[in-house]
Amino acid sequence: MTPTPENPASASTGYAPFTHLTVPNAVLYRRTMRTFLAAKERFAVHLRPEDVHAALPAGERPAELETVVKALDSLVEWGNLRADPDTARVTAVEDFYRKRFVYQLTRAGEAAEEALSAYDEALGRRGALQAVALHDIVTQLRALLVLGAGDELDPAKTYLALDVLTSRFAALAENARAFMGSLQRTIDLHDVEEEMFLAYKDRLIQYLERFIQDLITLGGRIAQLILELEDAGFIVPLLRTAAAREAADASPEDAAHAEREAYTRWTGRWDGLAAWFISRDGRESQARLLRGRALGAIPQLLAVVRSLNERRAGRSDRSADFRTLARWFAEAPDDDARHCLWRTAFGLYPSRHLTVDAETLAARTARPVPAATPWAESDPLRISPQLRRTGSYERRGKPRRVEDRSEARRHLAEIAAKQGAEIAAARARLATGGVTRLSALGELDPLAFGLFLQLLGDALATWRPGMTRTSATSNDGSMEIRLSALGDGAVAKIATPGGTFRGPDHAVEIVDLTEEDSRP
């Protein structure tokens, strides 16, 4: 009897429906199963071998129908398909004795294909850093604050708000994990598709920078909302209300147990959300780690681009050169060509102090010396008499002209001086000369605004829950920023040629350390 999910013998097959993945002709088996899945979507229950053969792609379709029949029988044996006698086309008694079957998916075969589809989807998933999800999380947390502050909790609204919150958070965390994994593969495998990588890197870096800015601004707001919910004592009643709503359909004898399990699940989800945005117990938050990973990916991408540009500019890639040389050796027609290639590649020419003139080359052409000839048995080489007399030998002729690079050095010095002046002007523009508000900085040019964002990001990276002030120094040690929180809820707006930067207003003091060091 053929084991199927409908009879007890199927229990002994274990994971037999996955057998077709590890046997010869696995591609034909996969295509065949996909044909049945496509037929099911069209509400076709049974398929004949002729139908399967016609539905297979032209490039992968076997020439003989019998090959498809054997594949179908094997899938029946493994429990993926079920075979039923095809009595629809029987017109004579002799037809009953012929082997004719129609085939359909079994539950085990369908479950195996669903598992393989989920595996393929997860394997090819690149993920994305979802800035929109951060906005949705802020919205739902604010809704929970409103619900928690009410006189009586609405179970339906509370459950929906928490359900949407956890769903968006789970999607954000999963996509961030998948994206960082795919990003690392992009960095590691950049040499596979070089042109595509160079075209993709600009958009990728802009994408990372935009998400990092959103994560800095919205991540702090999310952490503040989480702390407000916990400090106000709202979160426990909200979670218990959602748990009671979820366990409402349980049977009376299991109601208490179901509610406890639901509350445990909701507590775990909330703890995961809080740990993602708030650093506690000496452990960095996942949002901070993600920001560090994303920031670290940008220099890695730039390093890859730099190495590709250096390769294009003509710098030697030793491994590629040796592979090309090995291919040339393999394509050489004979040993003489290989010896010539060896001398050309590695510079094994005759010693410069030995005289090899036209007569010597003509004699070697007339009487070639095999490469395996020992030096003691070969013809002697004549040494220049001048070398014997003076110990040195110099060729006559005009020495090579020394290239004048003074103009190129002057041009580079002008560029460096111009860049230094622009950076110094940006530092002078940002220096506040005392404590002021972010909103008082006014309009910033692109260079000053970029320097300001770096300083602000360094300061916010050191911010911890409960802190009201912090300070940070730029990577080159030229600038220091001191940031203090304000309790008035004001919003700072900084105009730039590319748009307006908005965020919570803070008291800020920016110091140009190079000016302080230059003072007597």
Side-chain angles (χ1 to χ4, degrees), residues 407-444:
E407 183 65 23
R409 293 194 193 94
R410 184 191 61 79
H411 179 64
L412 292 177
E414 290 178 355
I415 294 177
K418 181 180 178 181
Q419 292 177 348
E422 291 175 350
I423 295 174
R427 288 200 302 264
R429 170 65 182 84
L430 288 178
T432 58
V435 179
T436 184
R437 299 174 73 103
L438 284 177
S439 54
L441 289 180
E443 185 174 356
L444 297 178

Side-chain angles (χ1 to χ4, degrees), residues 206 209-210 212-214 216-217 291 295 426 430 438 441 444-461 472-475 479 481 483 494-496 498-503 508 510:
Q206 294 175 3
E209 290 177 342
R210 186 171 64 253
I212 291 170
Q213 292 177 6
D214 290 335
I216 291 173
T217 56
R291 175 175 174 265
L295 284 172
L430 288 178
L438 284 177
L441 289 180
L444 297 178
D445 60 82
L447 187 59
F449 182 65
L451 182 57
F452 166 73
L453 283 183
Q454 293 179 7
L455 286 171
L456 184 62
D458 293 337
L460 293 177
T473 306
S474 60
N475 293 333
M479 302 288 290
I481 181 172
L483 202 64
I494 299 176
T496 69
T500 302
F501 175 83
R502 294 180 176 86
V508 63
I510 302 177

Side-chain angles (χ1 to χ4, degrees), residues 46-49 82-90 95-104:
H46 297 88
L47 290 179
R48 294 184 174 89
R82 191 181 74 184
D84 297 317
D86 185 7
T87 59
R89 293 182 294 176
V90 174
D95 292 338
F96 281 100
Y97 297 98
R98 296 177 183 175
K99 184 180 179 181
R100 289 181 177 175
F101 294 98
V102 291
Y103 301 87
Q104 73 175 57

Side-chain angles (χ1 to χ4, degrees), residues 306-447:
R306 184 166 56 252
S307 66
L308 293 177
N309 290 335
E310 290 176 354
R311 187 182 305 173
R312 287 185 167 190
R315 294 197 179 187
S316 176
D317 185 348
R318 184 173 299 176
S319 60
D321 292 344
F322 278 125
R323 286 194 296 269
T324 302
L325 184 61
R327 185 175 67 253
W328 289 351
F329 272 108
E331 294 173 352
D334 49 36
D335 287 342
D336 292 338
R338 295 185 184 94
H339 286 301
C340 181
L341 178 60
W342 177 272
R343 290 192 298 270
T344 303
F346 296 101
L348 297 180
Y349 302 103
S351 301
R352 289 177 294 178
H353 63 275
L354 301 178
T355 301
V356 179
D357 52 15
E359 295 181 1
T360 305
L361 294 176
R364 288 185 178 180
T365 303
R367 293 186 299 110
V369 179
T373 303
W375 284 22
E377 300 176 6
S378 62
D379 295 335
L381 294 176
R382 293 176 297 168
I383 300 177
S384 171
Q386 183 179 358
L387 180 65
R388 291 200 300 267
R389 291 193 305 268
T390 64
S392 63
Y393 177 71
E394 295 181 0
R395 295 183 181 274
R396 296 180 180 179
K398 186 178 180 180
R400 292 182 61 184
R401 182 179 179 182
V402 179
E403 185 177 354
D404 185 7
R405 300 183 182 273
S406 58
E407 183 65 23
R409 293 194 193 94
R410 184 191 61 79
H411 179 64
L412 292 177
E414 290 178 355
I415 294 177
K418 181 180 178 181
Q419 292 177 348
E422 291 175 350
I423 295 174
R427 288 200 302 264
R429 170 65 182 84
L430 288 178
T432 58
V435 179
T436 184
R437 299 174 73 103
L438 284 177
S439 54
L441 289 180
E443 185 174 356
L444 297 178
D445 60 82
L447 187 59

